[in-house]
Amino acid sequence: MSEDLLINITPQETRVALVIQGAVQELHIERTHSRGLTGNVYLGKVVRVLPGMQSAFIDIGLERAAFLHVADIWEARSGESGNLTPIEKMLFDGQVLTVQVIKDPIGSKGARLSTQISIAGRMLVYLPQDNHIGISQKIENEAEREQLRSRLQSLLPPDEKGGFIVRTVAEEASDADMQADIDYLRKIWSAIGAAARSKPPTSLLYQDLNLAQRVLRDFVNDETNAIFVDSRENYLALSEFSSAYMPKELARLQHYTGERPLFDLYGVEEEILRALGRRVDLKSGGYLIVDQTEAMTTIDVNTGGYVGGRNFADTIFKTNLEAAHAIARQLRLRNLGGIIILDFIDMENAEHRNAVLAELKKALSRDRTKVSVSSFSALGLVEMTRKRTRESLAHVLCEPCPACGGRGQVKTSRTICYEILRELLREAKQFNPREFRILASQEVVDLFLEEESQHLAMLGDFIGKKISLQVETSYHQEQYDVILM
């Protein structure tokens, strides 16, 4: 299927949209002031070792200390027995070590680290502490895998100490292309080593490519038709980068000069707005409800107005099949990760359940991020996980509602009226002012003047004080103050 990559660049942020057959499938946003950290290499300093959790907190110069688990310490796995060496036998407070970010800070959690450094190139991933040659799992033909391994080994000297992982794009690469990638990766590792010897602890030793450069390195494949860049300055910079490291992709790179904004032309702005909503409408008339929480994401499938098909079971089956494709797209579009629970419409027919599950797995096969899908549970739910390496689209673009604190709902004006009445009674028992003044939203004041006027008057008589009302237009419905005059 034909793919287009749209790169919208402004001084404050870079946005990338992957469009397949006219539909936006992925959105990536990188802001200048909060650029992602995954792939960066730091000279970390151990702040605290926690033997009970077999982990440690590492200071890498960020606001929050980063997290290092024993399973992510390369030296812990070097024993012949296969058992992990206890973390307290390898690390101590104040120790300085080279670490790499493998997961960005998410919410209140700090970055996750590893001591096994990996540096990604166009065709290869370099593992300087390993001596293993691995092949991408997406290359399934065993003969082709062995051929690639042999080709790479022939390019390496006998005393090579590092290891490599061959990426999918290396299938069409020449020996010269692979050799250039090897030299480029070794040069980066040499620079990291030199920086580690000369810089103080908590220093940044290596920063991964920016989003636009990573697009050229990681996203482009044989199905990519064109890469449109709407900034001339950045188009020239990307052309120079492409010429140096991936000349074959230079022909796909195009400078977009149209009058309409690039994202408007392809309908990406509208797609972003839809991706921030809970409801996703299906063409058949059914719809999804997507609810994202800190613990997990739930996706509920509903038939809505769809009544097609020969019978009700057929209607449910067709809605679930359509939902399977929509779910796979929404996961990529919104970058949802962690535990995901899918609540398809109940199907009694086992063949229908198997067909829907197969369709879901097929739709997820194009996902660049690692996913794992279970079968239908006894409750008719599908549990799955999707690796979370960066914030979701909603967490990047939005923040909790100041009115409801992220609950997704607000107290009614009547509830607030009754809270204010209780607050007035509490204040009257402690203080003896001349007057109480209520500052509240228009909705709350209107209710006090109309339906709740009798209760307000009764309370005023009971406490023996005047109660006045004042509208504060800047207050949201839950916000109020009781002023002692």
Side-chain angles (χ1 to χ4, degrees):
M1 290 185 285
S2 178
E3 300 180 0
D4 285 323
L5 284 161
L6 317 178
I7 305 178
N8 164 237
I9 302 179
T10 59
Q12 62 272 13
E13 70 177 357
T14 298
R15 302 188 300 171
V16 174
L18 171 64
V19 179
I20 300 179
Q21 292 185 325
V24 181
Q25 299 292 331
E26 290 183 29
L27 286 165
H28 300 264
I29 298 176
E30 182 177 84
R31 290 180 169 168
T32 306
H33 82 283
S34 57
R35 185 172 163 186
L37 306 176
T38 301
N40 289 0
V41 179
Y42 293 86
L43 195 61
K45 184 176 181 180
V46 179
V47 176
R48 189 181 177 192
V49 179
L50 305 172
M53 295 176 61
Q54 282 299 292
S55 59
F57 288 109
I58 314 292
D59 183 6
I60 56 174
L62 303 178
E63 184 179 346
R64 292 192 300 270
F67 180 81
L68 175 65
H69 189 264
V70 67
D72 296 316
I73 300 177
W74 172 244
E75 294 76 12
R77 293 174 289 171
S78 57
E80 294 181 2
S81 64
N83 297 323
L84 295 175
T85 305
I87 196 167
E88 62 269 23
K89 293 186 177 181
M90 295 179 291
L91 302 185
F92 56 86
D93 291 359
Q95 182 178 353
V96 176
L97 67 165
T98 302
V99 291
Q100 185 171 38
V101 177
I102 57 175
K103 185 180 290 187
D104 278 343
I106 297 176
S108 60
K109 299 177 183 177
R112 182 155 181 171
L113 305 175
S114 172
T115 65
Q116 183 180 14
I117 311 300
S118 64
I119 308 167
R122 171 64 173 155
M123 283 150 284
L124 306 169
V125 176
Y126 185 36
L127 307 173
Q129 299 138 302
D130 202 347
N131 57 8
H132 172 71
I133 294 180
I135 309 295
S136 168
Q137 293 181 354
K138 292 183 179 179
I139 302 174
E140 298 178 353
N141 186 292
E142 192 58 40
E144 191 174 352
R145 291 171 65 88
E146 285 303 317
Q147 184 184 25
L148 283 169
R149 185 178 283 109
S150 298
R151 283 180 57 199
L152 179 57
Q153 286 176 329
S154 68
L155 299 173
L156 301 176
D159 59 346
E160 174 64 47
K161 296 180 180 179
F164 291 89
I165 297 174
V166 181
R167 306 182 75 178
T168 312
V169 291
E171 290 180 281
E172 307 297 327
S174 65
D175 287 352
D177 291 335
M178 293 177 69
Q179 185 63 59
D181 223 29
I182 293 170
D183 295 341
Y184 165 69
L185 294 169
R186 281 181 178 151
K187 185 177 179 181
I188 290 177
W189 177 239
S190 178
I192 290 173
R197 291 188 293 270
S198 61
K199 290 189 174 184
T202 73
S203 296
L204 174 65
L205 305 180
Y206 165 75
Q207 187 172 35
D208 197 16
L209 302 177
N210 62 43
L211 177 58
Q213 293 168 329
R214 294 199 306 274
V215 166
L216 293 182
R217 184 189 71 189
D218 301 335
F219 292 16
V220 180
N221 55 51
D222 292 339
E223 296 176 351
T224 304
N225 177 51
I227 309 160
F228 295 102
V229 186
D230 64 1
S231 161
R232 177 167 178 77
E233 179 183 352
N234 287 281
Y235 164 74
L236 295 174
L238 286 174
S239 296
E240 185 176 345
F241 175 79
S242 180
S243 297
Y245 299 111
M246 46 206 72
K248 290 184 178 179
E249 315 307 341
L250 192 59
R252 293 186 170 108
L253 205 58
Q254 297 182 33
H255 177 213
Y256 175 73
T257 57
E259 292 185 6
R260 289 187 66 190
L262 180 60
F263 271 31
D264 286 357
L265 183 65
Y266 282 81
V268 181
E269 300 291 5
E270 292 87 345
E271 203 62 62
I272 292 174
L273 289 177
R274 283 195 287 267
L276 297 176
R278 290 181 67 228
R279 176 167 171 148
V280 179
D281 290 318
L282 305 177
K283 290 181 179 179
S284 64
Y287 61 92
L288 312 177
I289 294 294
V290 182
D291 284 314
Q292 185 180 355
T293 69
E294 189 170 346
M296 67 179 72
T297 298
T298 61
I299 302 179
D300 184 33
V301 183
N302 298 280
T303 55
Y306 181 50
V307 292
R310 290 167 294 179
N311 52 53
F312 190 55
D314 188 49
T315 299
I316 290 172
F317 178 50
K318 288 187 176 179
T319 302
N320 283 338
L321 283 176
E322 185 183 2
H325 286 275
I327 287 169
R329 177 171 177 257
Q330 289 299 318
L331 295 181
R332 295 173 70 186
L333 195 61
R334 298 169 185 242
N335 191 35
L336 298 172
I339 299 171
I340 300 164
I341 306 297
L342 310 179
D343 186 8
F344 287 99
I345 307 166
D346 290 340
M347 294 174 289
E348 295 182 3
N349 189 315
E351 290 184 2
H352 284 181
R353 288 197 298 271
N354 292 337
V356 168
L357 196 63
E359 200 69 21
L360 176 66
K361 291 179 178 179
K362 179 182 177 183
L364 290 169
S365 65
R366 296 185 63 86
D367 201 326
R368 254 182 283 269
T369 303
K370 183 179 179 181
V371 295
S372 176
V373 184
S374 69
S375 300
F376 279 91
S377 71
L379 297 176
L381 305 175
V382 175
E383 300 172 9
M384 64 171 290
T385 59
R386 186 172 185 268
K387 188 175 180 182
R388 178 159 46 193
T389 58
R390 56 190 174 91
E391 294 274 23
S392 69
L393 183 70
H395 284 164
V396 171
L397 299 181
C398 305
E399 63 183 6
C401 168
C404 70
R407 302 192 311 271
Q409 56 190 12
V410 295
K411 296 175 183 177
T412 66
S413 54
R414 194 178 303 277
T415 300
I416 300 303
C417 282
Y418 296 166
E419 283 188 11
I420 293 173
L421 293 176
R422 289 191 293 269
E423 179 67 19
L424 284 168
L425 189 57
R426 278 194 294 267
E427 296 288 340
K429 290 180 179 179
Q430 299 181 58
F431 304 102
N432 186 29
R434 176 173 47 85
E435 174 189 340
F436 288 103
R437 179 167 296 174
I438 300 170
L439 276 60
S441 66
Q442 184 70 61
E443 294 82 4
V444 172
V445 171
D446 286 346
L447 200 60
F448 268 133
L449 291 174
E450 297 167 1
E451 296 177 42
E452 298 299 331
S453 59
Q454 185 178 358
H455 290 143
L456 186 63
M458 289 172 60
L459 181 62
D461 292 341
F462 179 75
I463 63 178
K465 300 293 180 183
K466 180 183 177 182
I467 303 174
S468 59
L469 300 168
Q470 180 177 325
V471 174
E472 283 292 331
T473 55
S474 61
Y475 280 17
H476 57 74
Q477 188 161 293
E478 291 191 352
Q479 190 174 359
Y480 64 86
D481 286 302
V482 176
I483 308 298
L484 281 62
M485 305 294 289

